[in-house]
Amino acid sequence: MTPAPNKGMTDLKIGIAAGVTSGLIALAFAIAGHVKLAVIMPVAAVFGLGFAAHPFVGVSALLFFAQLDGIQDKIFPGDGFKLMTLGTMVGVIVTAFRHRGMVKDALMQPIAIMGMLLGVSMLVSALGADSKVMAANSLRRLLAMIIFMYLIIIMVNTRARFEKALMILALTSLISGIILILDVKLGMTLISTSDAATTARTAEGFERSSGASQYNPTTAATMMLTGVIIALVMFLEQDKYKRFYLAAAGIGTMALIFSFARSSFIVYTVTGMFLAYRYRKHHLIVPAMVIGSMLVLIMLPFLPESYYERIGSIFGAGGGDWTLGRRMTYNVIGVNLLVEHPLFGVGPGNFKKHFVDSAYRFLPGRTMFGRQLHNMHLSIMVEYGLVGATFFYAMVISAFKGAFRVMREPVDANIGFLATAYMYGLMSYMMVSVFVPNEYNKYTWIMLGLGAALPRVNRKDVA
């Protein structure tokens, strides 16, 4: 019998390699006069080698920093996410040689196959775009997201890993929620540094916060909403980590209110109705409703008047909000472009170029600066055509079908809980994407990657 490899010796070799590599990198940058890089790059090299040796750790880090990219930028300024992705990809490639059957099985999932076809249709759409520069830039962003999705499909290959992935999404919503509440109460920005996150305000002039995200507050709220819904379902469904999930759901809910994101408010309310009906006989439903009502009453005096005006603007009260009319203009222009370019669309990122076309100059709310179409579902069709949209929605439908199948036929109660939490998280995310251009959001591809992993994990446990 062949002796098992000495894991301790392997880790020692990796540690020595990481130390030597980081030292050489530091020396090279110091000699070149780049003192800041001499400090940062060795640390990045150590993490990269660690992720190469343990790729699921790399995937976990990518999941963690997907929402908390403001924290990531303070630790690894610049392209930290790309460096972590590169290190993880190296580890996955090594894993592929050791476990070819595992990787082959992952890439044969319907979502993985549709993702490849979507990538091809993206390239075709880019070739026909009016602005090739815009198309190339958007294509690079989206291909990086799709690579992230494949890393998740390949490495989230056990029930324990799937549960850890959901816990990370709940944890990041908790962390970002705490920071968002502190931002609002202190009147300052603690973590975020991007213009999108630090210059946003409501139509009434109230400064908004993205928590620990570099996305704009509305987009950051969609990610937080997903983690909050997952935490809420996990709290109701299972007996483990109840305090953690209660804290993530409770603090996350408060943070969603303070985010001033109307889209997340609407979807949270709708999803809450679905959950209330599903768990109407649950032994915790009455205490949860009582505690929730008390928290709402306690919070009411602390909410600024502009919050009520902002929510009221959805229904035409509080003086209205001109940005709502502008969003309708986005959709009108989008439908017109889809009719004109039905098969492969206008090309990646090219809605911005067409938005400023003089043909639309009389539409209300149109500006002289290019804007994204604030509706992911229509945006996919407009920029990638009905061909690209077919592949994308085949992935979405497959994710929902897989979740429902596991909910109906779980190998045990625990994986049924995970499937339920994932399904409601996916449902809320897809609903809120009606109001946000989420095709460039990491969470879109995270949720699709987990959708491919879930049925595979369930089948693996059966085997």
Side-chain angles (χ1 to χ4, degrees):
M1 182 180 291
T2 304
N6 190 326
K7 187 176 184 300
M9 185 60 68
T10 301
D11 289 341
L12 177 62
K13 291 178 181 178
I14 292 172
I16 293 172
V20 172
T21 303
S22 61
L24 291 174
I25 292 173
L27 180 61
F29 279 109
I31 293 173
H34 300 290
V35 178
K36 187 175 180 180
L37 290 175
V39 175
I40 295 171
M41 292 306 295
V43 178
V46 171
F47 275 94
L49 286 171
F51 294 165
H54 305 284
F56 180 69
V57 176
V59 169
S60 298
L62 293 171
L63 287 169
F64 183 80
F65 288 119
Q67 181 174 177
L68 307 181
D69 49 356
I71 295 176
Q72 170 214 294
D73 286 346
K74 291 189 179 299
I75 301 173
F76 303 115
D79 293 331
F81 199 88
K82 292 179 182 177
L83 291 172
M84 287 188 287
T85 302
L86 181 61
T88 306
M89 286 176 61
V90 171
V92 169
I93 291 170
V94 173
T95 301
F97 284 108
R98 292 203 309 260
H99 307 288
R100 295 180 185 178
M102 178 189 79
V103 176
K104 181 181 178 182
D105 180 51
L107 297 181
M108 290 304 293
Q109 299 305 308
I111 290 178
I113 295 171
M114 289 299 111
M116 296 176 193
L117 295 174
L118 175 62
V120 173
S121 70
M122 286 175 165
L123 291 171
V124 175
S125 296
L127 291 174
D130 287 352
S131 173
K132 299 294 191 295
V133 174
M134 282 184 171
N137 291 336
S138 297
L139 200 59
R140 279 196 294 269
R141 289 176 63 191
L142 277 169
L143 290 178
M145 304 284 182
I146 293 176
I147 289 171
F148 183 22
M149 179 188 75
Y150 281 108
L151 294 177
I152 293 170
I153 294 174
I154 294 170
M155 295 312 304
V156 181
N157 57 355
T158 66
R159 176 172 47 184
R161 289 184 175 184
F162 191 90
E163 184 170 7
K164 287 176 183 175
L166 293 188
M167 289 188 73
I168 289 171
L169 298 185
L171 174 63
T172 54
S173 288
L174 172 62
I175 294 172
S176 193
I178 292 172
I179 294 170
L180 188 150
I181 293 171
L182 289 174
D183 278 357
V184 172
K185 301 314 293 181
L186 297 175
M188 58 188 297
T189 302
L190 298 175
I191 299 295
S192 303
T193 55
S194 70
D195 289 340
T198 56
T199 61
R201 58 181 56 87
T202 68
E204 299 79 24
F206 189 86
E207 297 290 339
R208 301 175 65 194
S209 169
S210 297
S213 174
Q214 299 286 42
Y215 287 92
N216 67 73
T218 300
T219 303
T222 68
M223 297 186 284
M224 190 183 302
L225 170 69
T226 306
V228 168
I229 296 299
I230 288 171
L232 185 57
V233 176
M234 291 298 285
F235 169 73
L236 293 169
E237 285 277 357
Q238 53 136 33
D239 295 326
K240 296 188 301 180
Y241 315 116
K242 276 204 173 288
R243 292 181 180 177
F244 162 70
Y245 286 121
L246 178 61
I251 293 174
T253 298
M254 293 174 61
L256 285 172
I257 293 173
F258 284 112
S259 73
F260 280 67
R262 289 168 298 203
S263 52
S264 294
F265 169 81
I266 294 170
V267 173
Y268 185 93
T269 302
V270 172
T271 307
M273 291 177 180
F274 279 109
L275 292 176
Y277 180 77
R278 175 181 174 83
Y279 297 107
R280 62 193 181 280
K281 297 181 180 179
H282 195 284
H283 68 282
L284 289 177
I285 190 64
V286 174
M289 292 178 69
V290 172
I291 293 172
S293 300
M294 291 176 60
L295 286 173
V296 170
L297 291 173
I298 291 170
M299 286 183 61
L300 288 178
F302 297 98
L303 293 175
E305 185 179 347
S306 57
Y307 180 79
Y308 301 105
E309 295 176 1
R310 186 167 178 80
I311 298 301
S313 66
I314 299 172
F315 311 102
D321 184 347
W322 67 273
T323 62
L324 295 178
R326 187 174 67 184
R327 287 170 185 259
M328 183 58 68
T329 294
Y330 297 154
N331 289 277
V332 169
I333 295 174
V335 171
N336 185 68
L337 291 173
L338 178 59
V339 171
E340 293 179 356
H341 307 271
L343 287 180
F344 292 101
V346 298
N350 269 240
F351 176 81
K352 287 183 178 181
K353 181 180 185 302
H354 292 276
F355 179 78
V356 297
D357 192 290
S358 60
Y360 305 119
R361 63 188 180 278
F362 296 117
L363 290 176
R366 203 210 69 150
T367 66
M368 297 302 295
F369 301 98
R371 302 276 297 179
Q372 285 181 281
L373 175 53
H374 283 47
N375 179 338
M376 180 186 77
H377 304 288
L378 181 57
S379 181
I380 290 287
M381 290 186 273
V382 170
E383 295 196 344
Y384 303 101
L386 296 178
V387 174
T390 298
F391 298 133
F392 178 79
Y393 283 105
M395 298 165 72
V396 173
I397 292 169
S398 179
F400 275 112
K401 285 179 64 177
F404 279 121
R405 193 179 305 121
V406 177
M407 288 170 65
R408 287 196 309 267
E409 301 173 356
V411 293
D412 59 35
N414 187 45
I415 201 165
F417 300 157
L418 298 176
T420 304
Y422 166 77
M423 196 283 294
Y424 278 99
L426 177 65
M427 182 181 75
S428 62
Y429 185 81
M430 288 300 164
M431 282 196 293
V432 81
S433 294
V434 172
F435 309 99
V436 186
N438 270 340
E439 64 269 31
Y440 298 101
N441 191 323
K442 299 181 185 76
Y443 266 48
T444 300
W445 308 97
I446 288 173
M447 298 305 287
L448 291 175
L450 292 176
L454 179 58
R456 179 169 169 243
V457 168
N458 195 47
R459 289 198 305 271
K460 186 174 181 180
D461 282 356
V462 170

